[in-house]
Amino acid sequence: MYITDIDTKMKFLHGFSNKSRVLILESIKEEEKTVSQIIDELGISQSSISQHLACLRGCGLIVGRQEGKYMYYRVRNKLVRDLLTNFDTVLEDIHENVHGCQNHIDEKEADHVG
Amino acid sequence: MYITDIDTKMKFLHGFSNKSRVLILESIKEEEKTVSQIIDELGISQSSISQHLACLRGCGLIVGRQEGKYMYYRVRNKLVRDLLTNFDTVLEDIHENVHGCQNHIDEKEADHVG
DNA sequence: CTGTCATATTAGATTGTGCTAATATGACTT
DNA sequence: AAGTCATATTAGCACAATCTAATATGACAG
């Protein structure tokens, strides 16, 4: 089996390391959408969405097609779609064991522990 | 299908967002190892490895078991293992389209483009 | 060819992350 | 109980990532 080098892998995985990006991926997982639709749906600023879309393109996770003045984005292919589904499958199984990575636990959350 | 909330999902995905963590996961994907073994294998500092292991535990991705003064870590279960394999499967398919997220392209890489 | 709408890009401020160095804990040995 | 080895924790710095605000581009309508 061909093993892609770790740096390429990290660039790819970077796509999943931010909440806005993951929400975008989920939003366009099953159907392509215009940038405006994504903005409206997620309530994230135009600039931020645009930057994240550029990022996701660079990660190889999504593709865009222009139609007039609209830009339609969708998840690249079935493999990526299946990977997104796989996240949910694993999470369903292990979610009770997910407590967050040390440095991430901020006041808000620390409060309602116990 | 039960959908885990996005914040839990992000805590989980955080495990894959760092090179050292991904290397650790790959290292213990098929067999459990002691912390020392991982340190030797990856050549990353003891402190750093220990912090990443704590992080991966918090992400629910790995489990540890103590045996005397040694701590053995392994990937939690087959589902997580399969997810790691899935990364490689997708990458094999899309790696030509992975160019990195804008903000990430630093001098070193920018040089040997073209 | 001017205005408008959709999207992209840039700069700068703010926040988050990961490293190193130092120190702490806890198990086992003598 | 003192020493040693394996691992964990903490603090602080350096750097990376993300957001906002402002501006730019490019397509189409009039």
Side-chain angles (χ1 to χ4, degrees), chain A residues 34-36 46-47 50-51 57 69-71 73 104:
Chain A
T34 68
V35 179
S36 299
Q46 183 267 319
S47 174
S50 189
Q51 288 173 73
R57 249 187 287 123
K69 59 179 176 178
Y70 295 96
M71 196 67 193
Y73 283 102
H104 278 180

Side-chain angles (χ1 to χ4, degrees), chain A residues 74-103:
Chain A
R74 65 172 189 283
V75 162
R76 175 175 294 274
N77 61 22
K78 177 157 162 43
L79 281 177
V80 175
R81 210 152 31 237
D82 288 350
L83 179 58
L84 291 171
T85 302
N86 201 346
F87 287 151
D88 293 326
T89 307
V90 179
L91 209 39
E92 215 173 309
D93 186 61
I94 71 168
H95 68 100
E96 285 177 11
N97 305 294
V98 178
H99 305 108
C101 172
Q102 7 149 238
N103 311 316

Side-chain angles (χ1 to χ4, degrees), chain B residues 34-36 46-47 50-51 69-71 73 103-104:
Chain B
T34 68
V35 178
S36 298
Q46 184 265 320
S47 173
S50 189
Q51 288 173 74
K69 59 180 176 177
Y70 295 96
M71 197 67 192
Y73 283 101
N103 311 317
H104 277 182

Side-chain angles (χ1 to χ4, degrees), chain B residues 16-67:
Chain B
F16 307 110
S17 72
N18 170 276
K19 183 160 151 178
S20 299
R21 283 197 292 276
V22 172
L23 287 171
I24 290 171
L25 287 170
E26 289 178 350
S27 166
I28 61 177
K29 185 182 170 198
E30 305 295 348
E31 41 169 0
E32 68 175 9
K33 288 184 184 160
T34 68
V35 178
S36 298
Q37 284 180 299
I38 300 169
I39 292 168
D40 292 347
E41 190 181 316
L42 302 183
I44 296 169
S45 79
Q46 184 265 320
S47 173
S48 194
I49 291 283
S50 189
Q51 288 173 74
H52 284 305
L53 288 169
C55 181
L56 288 168
R57 248 187 287 122
C59 298
L61 296 171
I62 66 174
V63 292
R65 103 187 140 81
Q66 187 149 25
E67 193 177 301

